[in-house]
Amino acid sequence: MYLAETRFFEYLRANHHLPLQSNETHINVSRFFVSLQIKMICNMNRNNRCLDQGVSSSLLKKIFCFFLIVVPFVLNAQKQITVEDIWTKYLFYPKNVPGYNPVPNGNEYSVVGLAGIMKHSFETGEMTEVALPTLNISTLSDKKLKIEDIDDYSFDNSEQKILLAVQQEDIYRRSTKAYYYVYDKTANQIFPLSDMTKSKQSFATFSNDGSKVAFVRDNNIFVVDLNTKKESQITFDGKRNHVLNGMADWVYEEELSQAQYFTWSPDGTKIAFLRFDESNVKEFAMTLWGELYPDEYQYKYPKAGEDNSVVDVMIYDLNTRQTIRLDFDKNFDGYYPRIYWLPNSIDLITLKMNRHQSHLDFVRYNTLTKQMDVVFTDENKCWLEITDDYYFMNDNKTMMVTSERDGYNHIYKVEFGGKITQLTQGQWDVASIAAVDQKSKLVYYLSNESDVLNRDLYVINFDGKKKKMLTSGDGWNSVSFSSNARYYRNVYSNSQTPSVYTIHKADGKQLRVLEDNAKLKQRMQDYGFSKKELFSFTTEEGVSLNGWMLKPLNFDANKKYPVLMYVYGGPGSQEVDNAYSRAQDFAWYQMLTQKGYIVVCVDGRGTNARGDEFRKCVYKNMGHYEAIDQISTAKYLKTLPYVDSDRVGIWGWSFGGYLSALSAFKSGKTFKMAISVAPVTNWRYYDNIYTERFLQTPQENPDGYDQNSPITFAKDLDTKYLLIHGTADDNVHFQNAMDLVTALNKAGKQYDQFFYPNKNHFIMGGNTRAHLYTKLTNYILENL
């Protein structure tokens, strides 16, 4: 039978120039039907020795006729993806491991299931304990809580107490508030952390000995003694839109990636925190629609070039009940991105960064001597990235940090005020430090050394020797280590494989699989997902760019296809990688390929993983090179024989919405269609920490703002354009859309627009996402 199949496919290639399906499943399906037809014809003509002598020409013609009728039917029977499948049924959303959380002892992890909060051994996978049984949750709590009511939880270091967050709600991107309960295993009690008739609490955190919990409520810090249930208020001047204690203002939270700004000393006797005085920060107002007289929501938002909060670094002593302010310059116009206690509970490290974000001092304050000194300084000619890759050693005088000082992001061992040793080096970037094992003197880290599109786990010793890759070197890994760095959970994917959750020993040995998303992988096959093809090309400026491409499953190189380009392109981002990322959008792109479109994404200059020079060439000119590279991508795609050069479109969200508009407006008829969702349209309207990092202030660099604004080029719009925005976007204000519309109207341009009342930057809630993606789909089908 194999000979007959082979002859048949050779006949198709030679006589009818039909490309074979690249998808192995469809090849096998078509071969099955052909084989079946060969058997049927052979049975009708037993004198034909087809199995032994091959297939005659006349028989091949009969088979080919059958092929033309049956195989297209089989291919057309491929399940069709709908927006409802993606955004209502969530058929293509990968599963995770609910409530996964390494517990403090380092040898176990916890998960949430029907039985309650359960501990499992890293080594064996066996359940070692139901730390909080479901029955206890309902019988011991005053509100008869259920396991599904718990939104978050955390153990104290002794694992005898658990903090439970219920009725949790978002404030901004990284901040939440909730009602907290404490489960005391020894006493077999569940009790509210604080008075439930008062406001919800934020950032509830155990002291190291588990005897106390600190939290923020109504912009003030409180401490509860869990032995006496006594609550103490340690700050009193907190007031919305005026003073915040222990929690970030809007711009710190959004752009310095941290919302909680208080931390216990290791011995539990002191709390260090930041105090934000927002009095001089201008307010932004958003209208919330729905009532007879709409509400106005006002909050502090410092735009580029405008005043920031005045920030103080404070320390509260629980024994003396006294608060001190560290003696930094009161007129300092910069940032304090992080604060850390050293293990000795005496020294506090404060990161102090200038407003241009190019100079970072690690300042040590000794609570006994009241002396301050700078123990390490990092600098960059453009900007520095604030991370959480700062690990302080038990000797209280050494730390591990990452820095781009040699042109790539690498790990350095720093002796305070002394020797700096580079542990990793090469023309590749360390993505993050995953763990530091001080006992074994090992650093675990993630990097793209194997390939710019990969992320792998490595280990290296404190001397920068004995480096070893612990993952496969083919895909994307994200790890979470146990507290003792003996085990880790890995989340692996590649461009064709959804997330696989596994447990490993620190040497990389896999112990078990927690979730493999096998059902999703099968569903992807059932719906005929196309392979994500990774490629690169060189622009007319000689710049090599990386991209990915999705083609229709029944792709025919002799046909011409329309192309939709997706772009994000913001500084330090990476959309082109060997990972299964943005699962919902990926499914939507697959839906578009089913409708005959090719989908492409290319990372231009300014994006991540290719060193400091590639990422920071956009400095003080953000948007300029990024738009050039997207326009160059469109021009390159038009040279491909299977691309319809008259039907190339572009879309993006947030920075991608900005870049899709700027690229379309600056390139004439290069794009047939462009879509911007929640775009920045003038960087003068955006917050100061993000924008000034890349452009400096508008006062210093006005051209950097105005010559890269879509509003400036609104008069040049010469394509179909759709603008979408949420009216309650606290991040990229609706003002951006309104002022672009004003400029387009003034220029006499026709365009399309759609706005979502009371929706923020993510445009979610209820049926909103399904509605949005239906609108996007219809606009593409009608205009590209």
Side-chain angles (χ1 to χ4, degrees):
M1 200 67 246
Y2 175 78
L3 176 60
E5 290 176 359
T6 304
R7 289 283 305 278
F8 170 69
F9 281 98
E10 288 176 353
Y11 175 83
L12 292 181
R13 289 194 190 101
N15 295 282
H16 297 277
H17 311 289
L18 293 180
L20 298 182
Q21 297 297 323
S22 59
N23 184 280
E24 184 177 349
T25 302
H26 286 74
I27 293 175
N28 290 336
V29 169
S30 63
R31 284 180 174 175
F32 167 79
F33 278 103
V34 171
S35 300
L36 180 62
Q37 179 67 352
I38 290 173
K39 289 178 181 179
M40 290 170 61
I41 295 174
C42 288
N43 287 333
M44 288 187 291
N45 184 3
R46 296 184 182 274
N47 293 325
N48 188 321
R49 300 172 61 192
C50 60
L51 299 184
D52 298 324
Q53 298 179 5
V55 185
S56 68
S57 177
S58 61
L59 180 58
L60 282 173
K61 291 179 180 178
K62 292 177 183 179
I63 295 172
F64 178 64
C65 291
F66 178 82
F67 179 86
L68 292 179
I69 295 171
V70 176
V71 174
F73 173 80
V74 174
L75 295 181
N76 289 333
Q78 170 193 353
K79 289 187 178 182
Q80 296 298 296
I81 303 168
T82 67
V83 170
E84 289 72 23
D85 290 335
I86 301 169
W87 286 112
T88 302
K89 300 177 183 177
Y90 290 92
L91 292 184
F92 305 104
Y93 197 81
K95 292 177 64 177
N96 59 16
V97 182
Y100 175 84
N101 192 357
V103 298
N105 67 40
N107 295 315
E108 296 171 309
Y109 62 89
S110 60
V111 295
V112 175
L114 294 177
I117 299 175
M118 301 166 287
K119 291 183 185 178
H120 290 259
S121 165
F122 271 114
E123 187 69 32
T124 67
E126 295 180 359
M127 187 177 73
T128 57
E129 178 188 6
V130 180
L132 176 52
T134 298
L135 182 62
N136 285 19
I137 296 173
S138 59
T139 58
L140 298 179
S141 60
D142 57 350
K143 301 294 184 181
K144 304 301 179 185
L145 298 176
K146 300 176 182 178
I147 187 67
E148 55 265 31
D149 294 327
I150 297 175
D151 297 308
D152 198 8
Y153 71 95
S154 60
F155 288 88
D156 78 321
N157 284 339
S158 71
E159 301 173 25
Q160 297 303 301
K161 299 185 182 76
I162 308 176
L163 269 171
L164 309 171
V166 301
Q167 298 181 43
Q168 184 170 284
E169 58 184 287
D170 293 336
I171 303 175
Y172 296 118
R173 188 190 296 263
R174 296 175 176 86
S175 54
T176 61
K177 56 184 177 180
Y179 292 118
Y180 283 88
Y181 286 83
V182 178
Y183 171 60
D184 187 324
K185 179 181 176 181
T186 303
N188 197 31
Q189 292 181 337
I190 293 180
F191 55 89
L193 176 63
S194 184
D195 187 344
M196 299 283 283
T197 65
K198 297 181 179 179
S199 302
K200 292 181 178 181
Q201 307 102 42
S202 298
F203 318 122
T205 306
F206 283 114
S207 60
N208 275 11
D209 66 0
S211 66
K212 301 176 183 66
V213 173
F215 64 86
V216 173
R217 181 176 62 221
D218 297 332
N219 303 308
N220 283 309
I221 304 175
F222 297 79
V223 173
V224 176
D225 187 316
L226 298 180
N227 295 320
T228 64
K229 309 295 194 297
K230 180 181 178 181
E231 180 177 294
S232 302
Q233 185 170 348
I234 68 173
T235 67
F236 297 87
D237 57 350
K239 182 180 178 182
R240 186 178 185 278
N241 284 347
H242 286 277
V243 173
L244 299 87
N245 292 289
M247 65 183 301
D249 65 3
W250 187 94
V251 72
Y252 262 61
E253 175 178 340
E254 178 68 21
E255 306 302 355
L256 297 178
S257 303
Q258 186 162 301
Q260 178 178 334
Y261 272 98
F262 72 82
T263 179
W264 286 97
S265 63
D267 64 4
T269 63
K270 295 178 279 292
I271 295 176
F273 64 95
L274 296 191
R275 177 184 182 273
F276 294 82
D277 184 344
E278 297 185 296
S279 302
N280 294 327
V281 179
K282 293 179 181 178
E283 290 185 358
F284 191 86
M286 297 186 297
T287 301
L288 300 179
W289 310 95
E291 301 298 329
L292 182 62
Y293 292 91
D295 291 331
E296 291 288 321
Y297 178 81
Q298 296 180 320
Y299 70 113
K300 300 288 187 170
Y301 185 104
K303 292 181 181 283
E306 298 294 319
D307 288 339
N308 273 304
S309 296
V310 175
V311 181
D312 289 312
V313 183
M314 317 288 285
I315 298 176
Y316 175 78
D317 190 312
L318 275 72
N319 293 326
T320 65
R321 299 183 181 179
Q322 298 295 312
T323 303
I324 62 169
R325 181 182 69 85
L326 271 60
D327 192 21
F328 288 108
D329 182 1
K330 194 71 175 176
N331 297 316
F332 173 64
D333 188 17
Y335 307 103
Y336 301 105
R338 300 286 187 272
I339 51 176
Y340 298 97
W341 286 103
L342 292 187
N344 60 17
S345 295
I346 296 172
D347 296 318
L348 182 74
I349 299 291
T350 300
L351 275 60
K352 179 183 178 185
M353 185 170 63
N354 65 334
R355 183 152 180 166
H356 280 169
Q357 300 171 64
S358 59
H359 183 101
L360 181 65
D361 286 332
F362 288 65
V363 182
R364 175 174 55 185
Y365 174 78
N366 186 293
T367 57
L368 297 179
T369 66
K370 315 301 183 188
Q371 299 298 307
M372 297 172 65
D373 63 330
V374 176
V375 298
F376 174 64
T377 296
D378 201 10
E379 293 183 291
N380 193 284
K381 64 181 180 180
C382 297
W383 71 82
L384 294 163
E385 298 284 355
I386 295 299
T387 71
D388 291 308
D389 290 330
Y390 313 116
Y391 288 78
F392 300 93
M393 304 297 102
N394 292 331
D395 63 5
N396 298 299
K397 61 182 181 180
T398 309
M399 66 177 177
M400 300 292 179
V401 299
T402 57
S403 171
E404 298 168 316
R405 55 181 50 210
D406 80 339
Y408 291 85
N409 198 44
H410 284 296
I411 301 172
Y412 295 81
K413 182 175 68 173
V414 175
E415 299 174 17
F416 290 170
K419 184 179 179 182
I420 300 173
T421 304
Q422 184 170 353
L423 301 189
T424 63
Q425 53 189 328
Q427 294 186 0
W428 43 271
D429 285 319
V430 169
S432 63
I433 296 175
V436 176
D437 183 346
Q438 296 192 54
K439 184 177 180 180
S440 301
K441 296 185 177 181
L442 298 173
V443 181
Y444 297 88
Y445 65 93
L446 293 162
S447 83
N448 64 352
E449 182 176 358
S450 67
D451 189 283
V452 70
L453 304 185
N454 289 340
R455 180 165 292 180
D456 284 292
L457 178 65
Y458 291 80
V459 62
I460 198 168
N461 68 20
F462 280 15
D463 294 325
K465 299 177 181 178
K466 297 183 179 180
K467 179 175 66 177
K468 180 182 179 182
M469 182 197 292
L470 301 177
T471 46
S472 66
D474 177 27
W476 197 270
N477 298 274
S478 176
V479 299
S480 172
F481 270 80
S482 61
S483 61
N484 58 12
R486 292 178 58 190
Y487 305 95
Y488 65 89
R489 182 196 68 175
N490 189 33
V491 184
Y492 167 82
S493 73
N494 61 32
S495 59
Q496 316 305 325
T497 306
S499 300
V500 178
Y501 293 75
T502 51
I503 295 294
H504 299 253
K505 298 189 75 168
D507 62 5
K509 178 184 177 182
Q510 181 176 310
L511 298 176
R512 77 194 56 87
V513 177
L514 298 180
E515 174 59 58
D516 61 5
N517 272 297
K519 289 184 179 179
L520 174 56
K521 196 166 185 178
Q522 181 60 52
R523 185 170 292 142
M524 291 162 58
Q525 293 181 4
D526 293 343
Y527 280 83
F529 272 38
S530 296
K531 180 181 179 180
K532 182 194 283 187
E533 300 177 14
L534 302 172
F535 70 96
S536 62
F537 74 100
T538 301
T539 71
E540 60 269 32
E541 294 185 356
V543 180
S544 176
L545 301 179
N546 296 318
W548 57 254
M549 179 182 295
L550 290 174
K551 297 174 182 174
L553 191 64
N554 58 348
F555 173 76
D556 182 346
N558 295 313
K559 292 183 179 180
K560 298 282 189 180
Y561 293 89
V563 175
L564 177 68
M565 290 169 48
Y566 160 67
V567 62
Y568 181 73
S573 65
Q574 186 175 1
E575 297 294 323
V576 180
D577 51 34
N578 188 13
Y580 190 85
S581 52
R582 297 192 185 275
Q584 300 296 85
D585 277 348
F586 186 62
W588 182 58
Y589 298 145
Q590 295 287 349
M591 188 186 84
L592 293 177
T593 66
Q594 289 183 345
K595 298 181 184 299
Y597 291 86
I598 291 175
V599 183
V600 172
C601 176
V602 167
D603 277 344
R605 281 171 285 185
T607 56
N608 205 22
R610 297 180 60 180
D612 218 35
E613 184 177 348
F614 186 85
R615 182 166 52 252
K616 296 179 180 176
C617 66
V618 303
Y619 188 52
K620 294 195 286 188
N621 204 13
M622 184 169 66
H624 176 74
Y625 293 111
E626 297 95 316
I628 287 175
D629 288 346
Q630 294 305 310
I631 295 168
S632 294
T633 298
K635 292 178 178 178
Y636 162 74
L637 292 171
K638 291 182 179 187
T639 68
L640 301 177
Y642 48 83
V643 169
D644 186 338
S645 61
D646 294 326
R647 299 174 65 192
V648 177
I650 187 170
W651 95 286
W653 194 314
S654 193
F655 195 102
Y658 156 75
L659 199 48
S660 62
L662 188 62
S663 301
F665 293 6
K666 294 181 74 171
S667 63
K669 294 183 179 294
T670 298
F671 298 97
K672 185 180 181 184
M673 179 220 71
I675 300 174
S676 296
V677 181
V680 174
T681 61
N682 189 322
W683 289 108
R684 293 175 183 270
Y685 300 156
Y686 201 57
D687 76 65
N688 53 13
I689 294 184
Y690 182 91
T691 309
E692 293 173 14
R693 183 183 300 157
F694 313 119
L695 288 175
Q696 297 189 350
T697 67
Q699 295 87 342
E700 295 170 298
N701 181 25
D703 286 347
Y705 285 76
D706 298 334
Q707 294 308 309
N708 294 303
S709 166
I711 292 175
T712 301
F713 298 95
K715 65 184 185 304
D716 299 320
L717 174 64
D718 196 15
T719 187
K720 294 290 295 184
Y721 180 63
L722 172 61
L723 172 63
I724 296 175
H725 218 117
T727 66
D729 192 332
D730 65 286
N731 186 354
V732 180
H733 297 146
F734 188 50
Q735 171 189 19
N736 285 271
M738 289 294 92
D739 282 10
L740 179 56
V741 163
T742 299
L744 290 168
N745 291 347
K746 182 178 180 180
K749 298 296 180 179
Q750 295 297 314
Y751 56 93
D752 297 285
Q753 62 184 21
F754 196 88
F755 304 130
Y756 285 90
N758 302 336
K759 296 304 178 185
N760 65 14
H761 195 57
F762 300 103
I763 312 183
M764 295 186 73
N767 190 49
T768 305
R769 272 291 172 98
H771 187 281
L772 169 61
Y773 274 77
T774 298
K775 179 161 289 296
L776 294 174
T777 302
N778 291 340
Y779 197 81
I780 292 165
L781 295 178
E782 293 166 5
N783 295 283
L784 183 60

